[in-house]
Amino acid sequence: MSPALIFDCDGVLADTERFGHLPAFNQTFDQVGLPVHWSEDDYAEHVKIGGGKERMASLLTPELVARAALPTDPGEQEAMIADWHRFKTAAYIDLVTSGAMPGRPGIARIVEEAAAAGWRLAVASTSAEVSVRAVLEHVVGGERARDFAVFAGDIVPRKKPAPDIYLLALEHLDVDPADVVVIEDSAHGLQAARAAGLVTVVTVSAYTVDEDFTGAALVVTCLGDAPDDPARVIEDPNHLHPGDEVTLVDLSRLISPSKE
C-alpha cells in the first residue's frame, strides 16, 4: 500500500495566519461593528486556540458582551459566531484569490515529488473546508488539488491538539500510521499528529518558531526551494542532514525503509 503525505494548512501550505486569517478577522470585526482589532501580538495569543469560531468565541467576555450589547443567550451567541465566521471566511477567500499568500517554499515541489512516486496526498486542518481548498488550489494548482483528500473544519468533535482530525484521516485513507508523514507548523499540530501515532516534520512559521517541538522527527525553517529559499535545519534528531531542500527521499527515511 502506498504511503501518505498529510499536510496541515495554515502556516504549512502558506503563511496564512499573518497575511490571511488576521486581516480577515479584523475585517469581520469592522463589518459587524465589534470594538475589537487584533494586533500581530494579540493574534500570536489567539492563534493558539484551534479553530476560527473558537477564537471568536474567546472574545465573548461579560465585559465585551455588555459593552457591545451582544446577546447573552448561549444559543444566540452560537448563531452570532456562525454568522461572523461566514463573513470572515468570505474575506479570507478574497485574500487567498488575490494572491496575497504565496505558497511556502518547497510545498509545490514536494507535492509533485510525492505524486510522481505514487504517494497519497491529504490535508488535515481545523480551518473551514472552503478556506482550506482555496489555499490548496492556490498553492498547488487546481488540477493537482483534486488529488488531495481534504479533512477540515468541524467534522471532528475536538480540534488540535486532540488527534481526532488525524484519526479521521487515517480511517478514510485506510493507511497504516507507520506509512504516513505529516507536515505541521505548530506544537498543537505536532501533538495532534503524534497522538495519532504519526511521524511529523515541522516547518516553523512566524507564529510558532519559539514553540516546543519535542517529538518531531525533523524541524526546519521550511521545506526549501533552492537556491532562493533554502531550508535550514533547527532540530534533526534522526540525523537526516537534509540539504537546501527537504526531499521525498528524506521523508521516506522517516518511515519504513521499503518506502525509499
Side-chain angles (χ1 to χ4, degrees):
M1 186 173 291
S2 301
L5 183 57
I6 305 179
F7 299 86
D8 177 40
C9 178
D10 296 318
V12 171
L13 297 182
D15 194 356
T16 55
E17 297 293 5
R18 174 176 290 179
F19 300 113
H21 288 294
L22 174 56
F25 276 119
N26 283 330
Q27 287 179 35
T28 300
F29 300 152
D30 289 342
Q31 184 174 354
V32 302
L34 196 66
V36 173
H37 185 91
W38 283 339
S39 67
E40 287 198 6
D41 287 342
D42 294 332
Y43 194 60
E45 293 302 314
H46 289 287
V47 79
K48 298 175 184 177
I49 301 171
K53 295 188 187 74
E54 289 78 3
R55 291 173 197 171
M56 289 176 163
S58 72
L59 294 171
L60 299 182
T61 62
E63 293 78 15
L64 183 65
V65 168
R67 177 184 171 197
L70 301 176
T72 56
D73 176 77
E76 292 180 13
Q77 288 186 347
E78 184 176 355
M80 177 183 67
I81 291 292
D83 285 339
W84 291 357
H85 195 258
R86 281 191 287 272
F87 294 147
K88 182 260 174 182
T89 298
Y92 176 80
I93 291 174
D94 284 344
L95 287 165
V96 173
T97 55
S98 75
M101 292 167 283
R104 291 199 65 197
I107 293 297
R109 173 186 55 77
I110 202 77
V111 165
E112 290 306 309
E113 290 181 20
W119 286 44
R120 282 169 289 177
L121 299 165
V123 175
S125 170
T126 55
S127 291
E129 181 175 349
V130 63
S131 299
V132 172
R133 289 191 180 277
V135 174
L136 182 62
E137 291 181 8
H138 179 67
V139 172
V140 305
E143 183 174 354
R144 181 61 70 204
R146 288 192 286 273
D147 294 332
F148 278 75
V150 174
F151 308 95
D154 297 325
I155 57 174
V156 289
R158 299 179 301 164
K159 296 190 175 181
K160 300 174 185 179
D164 300 32
I165 194 75
Y166 283 113
L167 294 174
L168 180 70
L170 289 173
E171 179 183 351
H172 280 262
L173 293 172
D174 190 26
V175 61
D176 189 323
D179 290 337
V180 176
V181 176
V182 169
I183 311 294
E184 271 284 359
D185 77 304
S186 69
H188 276 179
L190 171 63
Q191 291 164 21
R194 294 294 297 135
L198 304 178
V199 166
T200 308
V201 171
V202 172
T203 59
V204 297
S205 61
Y207 287 111
T208 67
V209 64
D210 294 323
E211 293 183 0
D212 181 2
F213 296 118
T214 301
L218 176 68
V219 183
V220 289
T221 53
C222 63
L223 294 179
D225 278 322
D228 294 332
D229 295 297
R232 292 290 179 261
V233 173
I234 299 173
E235 299 177 24
D236 187 13
N238 290 283
H239 308 292
L240 295 180
H241 305 297
D244 288 346
E245 296 180 341
V246 178
T247 68
L248 193 69
V249 171
D250 295 320
L251 300 186
S252 298
R253 291 168 58 199
L254 294 172
I255 52 177
S256 171
S258 64
K259 305 301 186 297
E260 291 193 30

